[in-house]
Amino acid sequence: MSTTASLQDEFRSLREEIRSTKARLFRLIIIGSLGVPLLTFLASRADFFVSLLLPYSVLLLIVVFLSEQNSMMRAGRYIRECIESGDADSPRWENWIESRPQFRLADRHYVACFLIVFFLYYFMTVGVVINLILNKEAKDMSGGATYWYWFFAALVTYLIGAIWAIVTLLHHWRATISTAPNSH
């Protein structure tokens, strides 16, 4: 097999990986858009401890989305740096699209929109859980501080989770929206 044919096969494989990643991203958005409100409703009717896990589920959704988006751009970056940097006969899609920032604008907006919506979901689920804990505490006739322990423990872990997710986002933002060399 010639080098050109090998590069074309590699290019096709990576484009297929990008297509598969896009499909997984779409499924994540559907799952998140429909699943988080449904889970919030179900968790409000479920056992107290189940509700505590809801915000963590949304954080996992955010991180999986960032991972998939990063994976897709990493494949594009490989195409740009390793395949397209070769001879003039090789495909030039990633170089072309990165040279025109207006074409990546939709990608940036797509990623930002998803993250804004799901960070809102995260903070809303935290609010639901905190409200549930405070309601349980108000109804607790034993006079114990059990629910206050849950309140502070949940608040601290949710805050740590939010900070971790935001730091992860800031660290990987550029890599999730561009294949340019300085985006790592």
Side-chain angles (χ1 to χ4, degrees):
M1 181 182 279
S2 71
T3 304
T4 302
S6 176
L7 285 175
Q8 287 175 345
D9 285 344
E10 192 172 20
F11 177 81
R12 282 189 209 101
S13 294
L14 288 164
R15 293 304 295 173
E16 184 56 38
E17 175 60 27
I18 290 169
R19 186 176 294 115
S20 298
T21 302
K22 280 276 209 194
R24 286 190 300 271
L25 284 167
F26 181 75
R27 283 192 298 270
L28 277 172
I29 290 172
I30 296 300
I31 289 168
S33 299
L34 301 175
V36 171
L38 180 62
L39 283 175
T40 303
F41 173 76
L42 294 175
S44 71
R45 307 244 184 285
D47 188 35
F48 169 71
F49 299 106
V50 173
S51 298
L52 293 173
L53 299 175
L54 187 59
Y56 301 122
S57 301
V58 179
L59 277 181
L60 286 174
L61 183 68
I62 292 169
V63 172
V64 170
F65 175 82
L66 283 173
S67 175
E68 287 294 326
Q69 184 69 24
N70 195 357
S71 176
M72 181 176 60
M73 287 301 183
R74 187 173 47 244
R77 190 172 306 113
Y78 182 85
I79 290 170
R80 184 173 201 257
E81 293 175 4
C82 297
I83 296 175
E84 293 181 356
S85 65
D87 60 47
D89 294 333
S90 64
R92 301 282 184 208
W93 171 254
E94 292 295 333
N95 280 309
W96 178 80
I97 203 163
E98 282 296 334
S99 70
R100 291 157 178 83
Q102 70 272 20
F103 295 141
R104 285 285 188 214
L105 190 58
D107 294 329
R108 283 190 213 49
H109 288 188
Y110 169 79
V111 171
C113 179
F114 177 86
L115 291 170
I116 288 169
V117 167
F118 283 95
F119 269 107
L120 286 174
Y121 274 1
Y122 175 71
F123 290 115
M124 287 170 48
T125 58
V126 167
V128 166
V129 171
I130 295 300
N131 187 45
L132 179 66
I133 294 171
L134 292 175
N135 284 340
K136 291 275 190 191
E137 192 281 327
K139 293 177 184 175
D140 185 17
M141 297 298 174
S142 68
T146 304
Y147 289 106
W148 284 111
Y149 295 133
W150 282 110
F151 173 81
F152 288 114
L155 201 59
V156 167
T157 60
Y158 296 154
L159 183 61
I160 290 169
I163 291 168
W164 172 73
I166 290 168
V167 168
T168 301
L169 169 63
L170 293 174
H171 182 72
H172 294 285
W173 172 252
R174 193 87 172 107
T176 62
I177 59 164
S178 176
T179 65
N182 63 346
S183 61
H184 52 307

